Amino acid sequence: MSEAWQTGSAVIRDATGLHARPAVKLTKLAKRFEARVEIRREAGETWINAKSPSAVMKLKAPHLARLEIRASGDDAPAAVAALRDLIDRDFDDSTEG
């Protein structure tokens, strides 16, 4: 098991920020990985568990806030890449009907 942190970041593009629906999508995706996955607002002091919907919603990340992502474990690189990709795609909200 890799203990080194893999890191990445992405900008929240949703006009209302990281609200309930994208927060749930983010946590569901994070739970697919065995790695420990954490996020925080850019330059924030506290890393939170990305697998906890309530913790993610409490970030209250506004529009254009940068989220920092880090993961530790065997699939950490894939976890960081997947979360960054989801955020970059604006949580697939623009493709939903």
Side-chain angles (χ1 to χ4, degrees):
M1 178 176 171
S2 173
E3 295 298 327
W5 288 106
Q6 301 293 314
T7 61
S9 67
V11 174
I12 301 295
R13 298 169 193 245
D14 190 293
T16 57
L18 185 58
H19 56 85
R21 188 175 54 229
V24 169
K25 288 182 178 181
L26 189 145
T27 58
K28 283 184 175 179
L29 181 59
K31 288 178 181 178
R32 292 183 189 172
F33 298 95
E34 294 293 325
R36 179 178 174 184
V37 184
E38 299 179 337
I39 62 172
R40 71 178 180 185
R41 286 173 59 171
E42 184 176 39
E45 293 182 14
T46 306
W47 289 94
I48 58 118
N49 180 357
K51 298 179 182 181
S52 168
S54 63
V56 171
M57 283 188 275
K58 287 178 183 174
L59 273 179
K60 298 183 180 179
H63 174 67
L64 298 180
R66 179 169 295 278
L67 287 186
E68 296 177 334
I69 306 159
R70 72 179 183 180
S72 176
D74 289 340
D75 56 358
V80 170
L83 265 64
R84 188 177 55 227
D85 188 49
L86 176 68
I87 296 167
D88 285 345
R89 295 190 325 261
D90 195 17
F91 302 94
D92 295 329
D93 279 353
S94 61
T95 58
E96 293 180 357

